[in-house]
């Protein structure tokens, strides 16, 4: 049975053109970019070309892009460097309650080192308030880190407003754009972003490669000590094939962004409409307006999302109960809790994230499978039976 892959926020299929671009760097062009002979030195040029493509895609300069092992490392680097740059005085970071754990757990680690952290609340749509952000600023605030788009509910934050507040108070602004880069147009200069994290495997590139953009005016500390790679800031022999793959994925993402957005959004809206009209007691989590085009996040009342996932798996459908990292845990997602979704509703959550490789036929099949399984799971639910009986008694 062919797999229907609807978990594109967890990772994406690598485009064949990306694999084709990478293969020669394993097979023939395997030289270490630090070598002085031409066979190796050419790899340095290839890396620079990829760096330029990525810089161009963000309106940045080449020297502002630092390759990393992915989003987690970029997030760690951004937060830790802001704390280091603040020196020995009191330090304060502002972030949000709905960040990815790459941010939240770095904050927890920094708190243990004496850094104060404010976790901004979000509203029921998963949006932060720029006014609340401004109120949270203290004299020793050294960083604001607000994600560009959320991995569970897809909401896109008001990045320009956040950056306006940050600039007004002379505070650095970092954004975790792991879910957004390659999917929405980002211009770091126009948006006033000082640091930005991205990851290759979320835009049909390889896993284990990402980058951190850092504005060239910021004198930030190295993350890995050793050789001179990445301007001496992130030592270690470069993941050449990964970098080439990421560059290619960024190039493809840029050229097909509009077409992709239109296609994915049409499937997403169709899926949402069918689920909301054909299944009772279901809600969409997250803003309907400012949302990544491929993200659907539903909560089905009276069922466990994990049971639905298992049944969908038997139909060959790959979905998620929330983020890849939090699915498998029995506690409700921290993102939905932050949005005030009651635990009993949050437990019935299913995230479907659509990619441009998906088809309307797959969506139709998925809707039919969800309808069938939700009906079956509710038929075995004492809460659902109780609810129906109460309804009947009230009629
Ligand atoms: N930040 C966000 C918003 C994510 O969605 C993810 C991965 O799901 C990460 C960070 C971590 O990225 P990576 O898997 O490249 O370490």
């Amino acid at each position: 049975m062919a797999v229907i892959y609807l978990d594109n926020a967890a990772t994406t299929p690598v485009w064949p053109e990306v694999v084709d671009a990478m293969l020669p760097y394993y097979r023939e062009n395997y030289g270490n970019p630090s070598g002085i002979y031409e066979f190796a030195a050419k790899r340095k040029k290839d890396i620079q070309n990829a760096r330029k493509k990525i810089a161009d895609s963000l309106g940045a300069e080449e020297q502002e892009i630092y390759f990393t092992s992915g989003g987690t490392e970029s997030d760690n680097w951004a937060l830790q460097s802001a704390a280091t740059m603040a020196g020995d005085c009191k330090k304060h970071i502002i972030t949000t309650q709905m960040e990815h754990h790459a941010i939240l757990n770095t904050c927890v680690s920094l708190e243990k080192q004496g850094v104060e952290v404010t976790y901004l609340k979000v509203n029921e749509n998963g949006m932060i308030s720029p006014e609340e952000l401004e109120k949270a600023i203290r004299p020793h605030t050294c960083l604001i880190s607000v994600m560009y788009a959320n991995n569970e509910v897809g909401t896109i934050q008001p990045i320009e407003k956040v950056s306006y507040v940050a600039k007004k108070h002379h505070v650095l602004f970092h954004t975790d754009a792991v879910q957004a880069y390659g999917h929405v147009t980002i211009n770091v200069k126009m948006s006033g972003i000082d640091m930005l994290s991205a990851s290759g495997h979320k835009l049909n590139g390889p896993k284990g490669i990402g980058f951190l953009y850092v504005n060239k005016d910021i004198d930030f500390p190295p993350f890995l000590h050793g050789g001179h790679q990445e301007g001496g800031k992130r030592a270690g022999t470069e993941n050449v094939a990964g970098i080439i793959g990421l560059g290619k994925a960024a190039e493809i993402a840029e050229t097909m962004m509009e077409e992709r957005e239109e296609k994915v959004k049409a499937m997403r809206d169709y899926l949402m409409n069918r689920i909301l009209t054909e299944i009772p007691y279901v809600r969409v989590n997250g803003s309907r307006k400012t949302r990544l085009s491929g993200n659907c996040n539903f909560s089905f009342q009276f069922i466990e999302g994990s049971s639905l996932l298992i049944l969908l798996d038997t139909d060959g459908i790959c979905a998620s109960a929330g983020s890849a990292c939090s699915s498998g845990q029995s506690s409700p997602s921290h993102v939905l809790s932050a949005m005030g979704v009651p635990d009993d509703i949050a437990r019935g959550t299913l995230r479907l994230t659509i990619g441009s490789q998906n088809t309307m036929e797959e969506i139709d099949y998925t809707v039919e499978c969800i309808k069938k399984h939700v009906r079956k799971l509710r038929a075995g639910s004492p809460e659902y039976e109780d609810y129906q009986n109460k309804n009947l008694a009230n009629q």
Side-chain angles (χ1 to χ4, degrees), residues 9 70-72 75 100 102 147 149 151 176 178-179 199 201-202:
T72 301
D75 285 346
H100 189 272
M147 71 196 319
N151 45 304
D176 174 344
V178 167
Q179 292 290 336
S199 177
H201 72 110
K202 308 290 186 180

Side-chain angles (χ1 to χ4, degrees), residues 157 285 290:
Q157 296 297 341
N285 297 309
T290 45

Side-chain angles (χ1 to χ4, degrees), residues 283-295:
R283 56 175 276 171
V284 171
N285 297 309
S287 165
R288 296 288 292 272
K289 278 196 225 137
T290 45
R291 182 185 197 105
L292 287 174
S293 54
N295 178 290

